Each structure stands twice: as structure tokens, then as C-alpha cells.
Amino acid sequence: MTVTTALLQLEHVSIALKKTPSRLLVNNVSFAIEAGKTTCVVGESGSGKSLTALSVMGLLSKQLQLITGKVLFNDGDAGVQDLTLLDAESLRKIRGAKIAMIFQEPMTSLNPVLTVGYQIGESLTTHLGLKGDALKIKIASLLEMVGIPPSRANSYPDELSGGQRQRVMIAMSIACEPRLLIADEPTTALDVTVQAQILKLLDALKTRMNMGMLFITHDFGVVADIADNVVVMFRGEIVEAGTKDQVLNNPQHPYTKALLACVPDAEGKKPLKPIDYAWLPENEVAQNVQVAL
Amino acid sequence: MSESTLNLGNVILVANHLVKTYRQRSGKFGFGTTLVKALDDVSISLREGSTLAVVGESGSGKSTLARCLLQLQPLDSGEVFFDGQDLAKLDGASLRAARKNLQMVFQDPFASLNPRMRVGQIVGEGLLIHGLGSGVEQQQKVIAMLKRVGLTEADMQKYPHEFSGGQRQRIGIARALVLKPKVVVCDEPVSALDVSIQAQILLLLKELQVEMGLSYIFISHDLRVVRHIADDIVVMNQGKVVEQGSVVDIYQQPKHEYTRNLLAAIPGKKMANA
């Protein structure tokens, strides 16, 4: 086994439906995340980026199975362990405490009948055993950290705006100071101004707590704002990976180029282009046939 | 009030001094009420064949404006002139007749299509309601429209869940345009879609605009998208119009602080112009 300094290392991860194990939804995906760095996984819907993130947490639904691959997580004191081999009990100890996740829709991922303070406190009680006043103080400081007045701890999710709810989600996820934060399209459901605030907040927290961040998005504009490294996925495979500078300014793969080309720019200089699949082998054949005819 | 309608011959839709107030329950146990001004003296005008974008954050009243223009929600006060008549004063029957020319494309392609209707029925329903043509003609119109938006004749027999987000939005566009309307209100038509699909839908909307001579009111919070589709922009904040003007003016010399904030929030500022 390779000795790595990486916080998280995915090695040859493949995921498929149990019914059709031959059709891989995620195919041989490998990449690493370092502490204090943000790795963005970019792709369209259906490219397998969310599945990859869920597999890290061991949260794949029952219909899916991990065919091959290792998810090596550097747990500091406990050393490097393969998350795919852990039983449910040990995984529970890692989830929320060492690896935390922010979901796409703040509207649906919070429990509507519990106060946000209670929901933030849950993982603190479970993992750190905080109770009573100590818990209240910690919740207040977390809310403050994400820019919500601590007095809102007794509010219910429906009393908060979309941006505030996503801030609560962030407060929940960073409560136990995880080493790795997985953010699955955390700003897609939000307005641009709120999106900019949330991105700034995540970036600041990442630096402050030296977290590694796995950030999933379909928007290259967001990538440019937040990423250190970029992984581009297409139809379950990684088509390109590299630093932000390499991928954004010098994309090698035609899919990356096509995806970059269809991001509208604010200046309006770039003509609007639909995504171009002409580079795909099956389309190339089709084109050649047309030419021949 | 109607001087602007008279002076500008090529203006197709004018809204003057629209006011819409919502009551919100507040206080302990919701016994109190506070009034929220969703539209506070909003006036806009849409030039024929052009696209007017309405931008703002959520809660700025832009969707309320869209609904109030089409009288999907009653106005508190104000007038909406289209085709020489004030829509706000029309009775139910004449309003329904006027809506043939006023159509809407909704934000969420997953929620705005009836899951129990086939695509053919969804797209053809407007023709049926307005009694346009015989059954066979209606069928043909539906097929032609579906083909125009990039779907096939076979798709008529399918249900909405069999389509992807982008395809569903195409169905929504076909439904709005099959009636050959003059004004189409698009309420965040691409916000629910992947960036890669957004461009396809925007281009489709642009092409159809030229072909059918449509005028769009385009509601959006994404200034990158607006830059590519709009001719004029109205910036809204808390129910008020804070700034309006041509696309070039607003992007190059935003006068209001709120507009500058919106522009600064566009993601990808650091992206080199590839």
C-alpha cells in the first residue's frame, strides 16, 4: 500500500446497480484530497459526481454497490484506514465527527419539526458528549461563526431563509471540526448573492480549520472561485484532473473544453454555445457517415 | 397614465404603478399581521420583439411581478396595458381570451408539468381550451411545435417523468408557444438546469423569438444568463425597481449600489477569459 500524506485517497472506485453490475455508474475513479485544500468535482447531472461523494461516506443506497475500490482516509491518530471495509458501527463514529457532509437542498435536508439549535447540537452530543450549558455555548458560537445571530437557535427551519438554512447546514457539518467536508452542490439552490457569501464562508472555514474539502458542482464559475484542484467527470469516469489553473486555463480534454465553453460570461463577449458532444467517438462516426453520404 | 402607451408605438406591454401587498402573520402565535410590499409602485414597459430581464434576489418581488402581469394574481392597484386594454380590469372570460397571447414558462420543469398527462395532452391543452382548429389540426400543431423545440412525434405519448430536466423545459416552452403568443413571461426558465443545458435552452428561446416575433419578460437572478438574452434590464430589490436601462448600460455603468452588489456576486470572476 502506498504511504500517502493525502487526507483522502480514492483508489479505483467503481459503483454499479446491484441488478446490473456490469454497467458501471462510476468507473475506476481515483483522486486525492489534501488537508486545507479544496478539490472540486465537476460534471453534468448523471456524471456520477454525487455517487462518488456518497461512496466516501458509505451512504450509497441499497440498490447500489461498490464493485471495486478503496477509500483511504487519513484519520490522524488512528492512521490510514479503508472506509469501505469498516462496519456500520465504526463508520458512524467517523461520519459527522471526522467527515461531514453538506447537502444540496437546505430546504429538504433539515428536519422541519426540530429547532435548528437542536439539530446542530445532535452531533455534538453524539460525538463529543456535550450537554447542558456547554452545549448551548458551543451551538451559539457555531451559529455566530456562520453569521447567524445565536438567538436564532430556537428557530425552526421554516423561519429561516434559504441562505440561512444553508448556513445552519454548514454549522451542523463543522460542529465537530471534521477533517474532511463534503459539499454536494451546496449553492445550486441559492441566489447568486447568497451563493457568493456561502462560498466565501466555506473558503474561510476551510482555511481556519485546515479542513480538506470535496466540493461538487456543475458550474465552472463556482470552481474558479473556490477550487484548488479540479476533477472533471463525464459518464462515470474522470476525463481530466489537475490544478485549477491547469484545468481552467489549459484544458486538455474535449469535454472539459466543451463544458467551459457553455458557461455564460458576465461580459457577454463569449457567444453562447450549447454543449458540444461532437468529440465523442460515436458522434465522430456519425459525422463521418454523414460526410460519406 | 397612458401617455407612455401612446408615445411609444412599438411598446407591446406596459405596466404602470403596480402595487401588491401580502399579509404575513407575525408576533406570538401569529395573531398579528404585518404587510409585506411585494410590488411597490413598479412600472415597466416591454418593447415589441425584445427581451426585458427582471433581476433581483429571492424575495425581491420579481416572480410576483411576473404573475401580476398575467393577472395570475390580483393586483392591489395599477394597470397593465396589452393590446390596448387594461388587463387588470378585464373580466374572467375576456382575460382568458387575452391570455392566448400571453403565455408563461415556469421555473421548475419538475413541478410545472402534470405527471398524469401525456406530453401531447399537455402541449395541446391550450389549443383545446381556445378552440383553435379541428382535432387533426391541433395534433399537427402539437407535433410541429414539439419538433421545433427538439423533441419527436413519439414523445407525445410519453409522460413527463420519462424526460430529463432540459427536455421537460422544452415541453414547457412548447406548451407556451403552441398558441403563437405575443408575449411570453419566462420565470427563471434555466435556474433549475445544469450549466451545460442552460445554453441550449437559452439559444432555443432566442431562435424562437426571432422566428415567431416574440417579446420576452425574462425573470432571473443569474446575471450571466441575463447578459446573453436580454435587451433591457429592470433591477428589483424589496419590491421596488432600483434601476432600469439597456443591458450595456447596466453592466458597464451600474448606478445603484444594489446592482453593483449583484454584479460582484457573479461566480467565476477569477476565471481567465478562455
Side-chain angles (χ1 to χ4, degrees):
Chain A
M1 206 173 79
T2 48
V3 183
T4 55
T5 52
L7 181 63
L8 181 83
Q9 181 127 25
L10 270 73
E11 288 185 359
H12 311 293
V13 171
S14 296
I15 301 169
L17 271 171
K18 276 187 181 147
K19 278 185 187 164
T20 53
S22 56
R23 193 168 155 253
L24 297 177
L25 303 176
V26 171
N27 187 1
N28 198 12
V29 163
S30 310
F31 62 91
I33 298 172
E34 290 163 50
K37 290 276 163 74
T38 302
T39 298
C40 273
V41 179
V42 196
E44 290 172 276
S45 52
S47 61
K49 53 194 197 303
S50 289
L51 283 183
T52 309
L54 289 173
S55 72
V56 173
M57 290 285 264
L59 288 175
L60 289 178
S61 70
K62 280 183 189 141
Q63 293 90 344
L64 295 163
Q65 64 174 356
L66 197 74
I67 305 277
T68 57
K70 289 178 185 168
V71 179
L72 300 172
F73 177 60
N74 186 345
D75 191 1
D77 329 320
V80 178
Q81 35 186 341
D82 185 350
L83 296 182
T84 59
L85 302 177
L86 293 182
D87 56 27
E89 178 74 12
S90 348
L91 260 180
R92 259 203 299 281
K93 283 184 186 148
I94 289 178
R95 283 184 203 141
K98 306 282 172 59
I99 305 179
M101 189 151 180
I102 304 172
F103 296 92
Q104 176 167 5
E105 295 210 1
M107 320 285 167
T108 49
S109 40
L110 289 170
N111 188 332
V113 297
L114 299 173
T115 64
V116 296
Y118 181 87
Q119 296 186 57
I120 296 171
E122 259 183 336
S123 69
L124 290 167
T125 314
T126 314
H127 294 294
L128 306 177
L130 285 183
K131 279 189 195 116
D133 281 346
L135 181 64
K136 276 189 186 146
I137 293 168
K138 181 72 187 171
I139 292 171
S141 76
L142 280 166
L143 282 174
E144 206 152 71
M145 206 188 278
V146 296
I148 293 179
S151 57
R152 297 305 294 267
N154 291 322
S155 299
Y156 289 89
D158 69 288
E159 298 172 319
L160 302 173
S161 71
Q164 282 177 319
R165 280 180 232 190
Q166 197 57 289
R167 283 165 192 267
V168 169
M169 287 293 293
I170 294 172
M172 281 167 76
S173 62
I174 60 167
C176 299
E177 310 213 342
R179 296 167 60 81
L180 175 69
L181 184 63
I182 302 175
D184 188 358
E185 309 224 12
T187 59
T188 306
L190 304 175
D191 271 7
V192 268
T193 39
V194 183
Q195 167 169 291
Q197 291 166 10
I198 297 285
L199 290 179
K200 225 172 166 182
L201 173 67
L202 281 174
D203 204 42
L205 288 170
K206 177 204 77 177
T207 315
R208 185 154 139 201
M209 301 166 68
N210 197 30
M211 283 187 301
M213 189 149 68
L214 174 60
F215 194 101
I216 297 177
T217 180
H218 64 84
D219 188 341
F220 262 116
V222 173
V223 173
D225 282 353
I226 198 162
D228 295 300
N229 296 304
V230 183
V231 172
V232 185
M233 284 185 76
F234 177 64
R235 295 191 182 170
E237 290 177 49
I238 292 182
V239 294
E240 183 160 2
T243 64
K244 175 173 81 175
D245 191 43
Q246 279 170 4
V247 175
L248 290 189
N249 296 330
N250 192 14
Q252 299 300 313
H253 195 276
Y255 179 67
T256 316
K257 287 178 191 164
L259 206 53
L260 275 168
C262 67
V263 178
D265 62 331
E267 285 83 39
K269 286 176 196 152
K270 201 165 73 176
L272 208 55
K273 250 170 64 176
I275 187 128
D276 176 14
Y277 288 122
W279 53 273
L280 276 172
E282 67 239 38
N283 290 346
E284 269 171 32
V285 172
Q287 275 181 347
N288 289 343
V289 171
Q290 276 179 351
V291 171
L293 288 171
Chain B
M1 218 53 80
S2 53
E3 71 271 358
S4 47
T5 37
L6 297 175
N7 289 347
L8 300 163
N10 62 344
V11 168
I12 188 158
L13 183 83
V14 180
N16 290 324
H17 309 290
L18 302 184
V19 177
K20 174 75 189 173
T21 317
Y22 291 117
R23 271 171 197 283
Q24 197 171 47
R25 283 206 277 175
S26 63
K28 274 222 166 81
F29 307 114
F31 285 147
T33 47
T34 43
L35 296 177
V36 180
K37 280 207 163 173
L39 293 180
D40 189 356
D41 196 14
V42 172
S43 302
I44 59 162
S45 65
L46 174 64
R47 289 184 291 123
E48 196 168 359
S50 77
T51 302
L52 175 72
V54 181
V55 298
E57 290 173 282
S58 58
S60 61
K62 53 192 197 304
S63 286
T64 305
L65 175 63
R67 299 176 146 269
C68 285
L69 283 176
L70 297 194
Q71 307 301 314
L72 294 173
Q73 275 178 338
L75 281 163
D76 291 351
S77 68
E79 42 195 12
V80 181
F81 279 104
F82 170 74
D83 221 5
Q85 42 189 358
D86 183 357
L87 296 177
K89 293 203 178 68
L90 292 181
D91 59 41
S94 12
L95 188 57
R96 269 194 293 280
R99 285 223 185 94
K100 182 190 161 298
N101 288 317
L102 301 161
Q103 288 291 312
M104 188 151 176
V105 176
F106 295 92
Q107 172 168 14
D108 188 343
F110 296 88
S112 58
L113 300 176
N114 187 338
R116 305 185 66 163
M117 283 169 78
R118 293 178 195 275
V119 169
Q121 291 173 300
I122 292 174
V123 176
E125 199 179 19
L127 295 170
L128 200 65
I129 289 169
H130 291 285
L132 300 173
S134 66
V136 180
E137 283 167 5
Q138 289 181 4
Q139 282 266 333
Q140 284 165 345
K141 278 186 186 169
V142 170
I143 293 168
M145 198 65 230
L146 282 177
K147 282 190 178 151
R148 182 60 200 87
V149 298
L151 298 167
T152 62
E153 191 177 336
D155 289 333
M156 274 181 76
Q157 301 307 322
K158 292 186 187 164
Y159 286 98
H161 73 260
E162 297 173 62
F163 295 89
S164 68
Q167 285 173 320
R168 282 184 216 211
Q169 205 55 295
R170 288 172 194 269
I171 298 171
I173 292 171
R175 171 175 63 182
L177 298 190
V178 76
L179 290 169
K180 304 223 179 337
K182 290 181 182 149
V183 174
V184 181
V185 177
C186 308
D187 187 1
E188 309 244 10
V190 297
S191 337
L193 306 175
D194 266 15
V195 169
S196 53
I197 309 297
Q198 284 183 3
Q200 296 175 357
I201 298 293
L202 291 174
L203 285 170
L204 176 66
L205 285 171
K206 271 186 156 178
E207 285 168 21
L208 290 168
Q209 177 168 43
V210 176
E211 267 176 45
M212 303 174 66
L214 303 168
S215 313
Y216 289 139
I217 290 187
F218 192 94
I219 314 272
S220 180
H221 66 83
D222 190 339
L223 285 157
R224 291 183 294 179
V225 167
V226 166
R227 185 73 175 93
H228 286 272
I229 191 140
D231 301 300
D232 301 297
I233 299 186
V234 170
V235 183
M236 284 187 72
N237 184 23
Q238 299 188 340
K240 285 197 170 80
V241 172
V242 297
E243 191 166 357
Q244 52 185 322
S246 75
V247 166
V248 180
D249 287 347
I250 299 267
Y251 277 78
Q252 288 178 353
Q253 294 149 347
K255 292 197 179 62
H256 198 277
E257 168 140 24
Y258 181 73
T259 315
R260 283 197 283 270
N261 284 343
L262 275 182
L263 285 168
I266 296 176
K269 276 274 155 71
K270 297 175 198 163
M271 198 148 98
N273 293 320

